[in-house]
Amino acid sequence: MFKYIFLFFFTLLFSFHAFSQSYLPESEGEIIKHTYYTLSYSEENEQAFWVYYELTPELVNGSISRTDNFRPDPKVSTGSAELDDYKGSGYHRGHLCPAGSMDLNKTSMSESFFLSNMSPQAPGLNTGLWKKLESLVRVWTNEYDKIVVISGPVFKDNLGITGINDVTVPGYYYKIIYCPGNAQMIAFLMPNKKLSEPIKSYIHSVDEIEVLTNIDFFHGMDDIIEDKLEANSNSEQWDFNTTKPLTTTPKKLTTAVQCKGISKSTGERCQIITENANGYCRFHQNQAID
């Protein structure tokens, strides 16, 4: 009896740590695995159908500087897009897995600049609401400890092609965020142009995005759980108030310590290293005040 109980909990623990392999999307395209993200490459469109990555506080709070080392992806068997495809196009090389979330080490930062991870984005979107969404996801990562993100283009109402390799300029972009600790999911769909509406205006269900893209995003998940999460478009479980000022400005310590804060999702101590004198990182200052 004890043996079976042990095996049950071991299987449960293993499945939690291996969720990244279970939740990879299912779609057309060549699967390309890098150290910090996986993608499915569309040769027809010369960009990814989707890019899948996991974020942790350690990954998004690293100290590696941005490199801007844009280059073709040597792992794409048919050859990825090239630098000349974007030159003079009027579009930005828009990251699907953002460099700002990959500053853990030289490898993570370098991989984020493969052109397989890029898509032609309107400048107003890339430096506007899309960038704000990327920052918001990093805030959620610090709050919930582990976040799964799937991001990519939607090839509907496309805006033409660019470059010698005929890179498709997508009509829309999506980003799906899943918090396994809290079993909550949210998705965004944004037109490829400068946007002025609040970020919540672009919330959609994952089911809607699956219809548009013909991608099964969480096919490895239990069907009952998957159906419930993917049908949801409710924002109430997610904190969008990321700009509220701290009540106090913490003084700096001479040495860094582990944050004393407790993560809401796991009930465990925060892993971020902080120099704040009160021992709490900037994301858990409300706990210090309380």
Side-chain angles (χ1 to χ4, degrees):
M1 182 67 177
F2 175 79
K3 176 181 177 182
Y4 292 111
I5 294 175
F6 173 79
L7 287 174
F8 171 77
F9 282 105
F10 176 82
T11 302
L12 185 65
L13 179 64
F14 178 80
S15 63
F16 175 78
H17 285 290
F19 74 90
S20 63
Q21 298 303 313
S22 300
Y23 296 160
L24 286 177
E26 187 173 65
S27 71
E28 298 177 356
E30 180 184 7
I31 300 298
I32 307 295
K33 293 186 177 182
H34 292 295
T35 308
Y36 291 94
Y37 64 86
T38 299
L39 62 90
S40 177
Y41 196 78
S42 169
E43 172 61 22
E44 179 183 358
N45 298 289
E46 291 293 3
Q47 62 200 277
F49 282 118
W50 50 261
V51 176
Y52 175 103
Y53 52 101
E54 298 174 16
L55 297 179
T56 62
E58 292 80 8
L59 193 59
V60 304
N61 293 296
S63 58
I64 298 297
S65 300
R66 182 182 172 106
T67 63
D68 284 342
N69 184 23
F70 293 98
R71 64 200 187 280
D73 188 339
K75 288 192 174 184
V76 177
S77 63
T78 55
S80 70
E82 302 175 23
L83 288 170
D84 285 345
D85 288 318
Y86 288 85
K87 187 176 181 180
S89 68
Y91 291 98
H92 283 186
R93 293 164 294 199
H95 283 73
L96 298 176
C97 173
S101 299
M102 293 284 124
D103 54 5
L104 175 65
N105 55 45
K106 291 181 179 179
T107 299
S108 58
M109 179 58 67
S110 177
E111 286 183 344
S112 74
F113 285 93
F114 284 131
L115 287 168
S116 57
N117 184 41
M118 306 299 152
S119 183
Q121 282 192 338
L125 177 64
N126 187 42
T127 61
L129 208 60
W130 188 257
K131 183 177 181 180
K132 183 179 293 187
L133 177 57
E134 292 173 341
S135 297
L136 182 59
V137 172
R138 285 191 284 273
V139 171
W140 287 341
T141 301
N142 281 300
E143 180 64 26
Y144 298 115
D145 290 336
K146 183 174 287 186
I147 294 288
V148 175
V149 185
I150 309 174
S151 187
V154 177
F155 300 117
K156 302 289 185 182
D157 301 325
N158 295 331
L159 305 177
I161 57 175
T162 181
I164 59 174
N165 289 305
D166 293 339
V167 179
T168 302
V169 182
Y172 303 86
Y173 289 96
Y174 67 85
K175 194 177 293 289
I176 301 168
I177 300 99
Y178 171 54
C179 174
N182 283 15
Q184 58 193 59
M185 189 178 293
I186 193 169
F188 298 84
L189 180 67
M190 297 182 178
N192 191 8
K193 62 181 182 180
K194 184 176 181 179
L195 303 174
S196 57
E197 296 296 319
I199 198 167
K200 285 186 178 181
S201 303
Y202 301 97
I203 295 174
H204 289 259
S205 69
V206 176
D207 283 340
E208 292 177 275
I209 298 174
E210 286 188 333
V211 170
L212 290 172
T213 60
N214 197 31
I215 298 172
D216 185 358
F217 289 106
F218 292 91
H219 75 282
M221 186 180 287
D222 177 270
D223 288 340
I224 296 177
I225 298 174
E226 179 185 4
D227 291 343
K228 181 179 180 180
L229 291 174
E230 291 187 349
N232 178 50
S233 59
N234 190 342
S235 65
E236 292 182 359
Q237 291 178 300
W238 301 85
D239 182 11
F240 284 79
N241 187 16
T242 60
T243 59
K244 57 185 179 182
L246 299 175
T247 304
T248 60
T249 302
K251 297 179 180 179
K252 298 293 183 180
L253 289 171
T254 55
T255 58
V257 297
Q258 182 181 349
C259 175
K260 298 178 182 178
I262 303 299
S263 169
K264 291 181 180 179
S265 63
T266 64
E268 298 179 354
R269 187 173 175 181
C270 173
Q271 298 297 309
I272 296 175
I273 302 300
T274 180
E275 295 182 354
N276 293 336
N278 61 14
Y280 291 83
C281 73
R282 66 190 181 96
F283 299 102
H284 290 114
Q285 286 299 311
N286 60 323
Q287 295 184 17
I289 296 168
D290 294 338

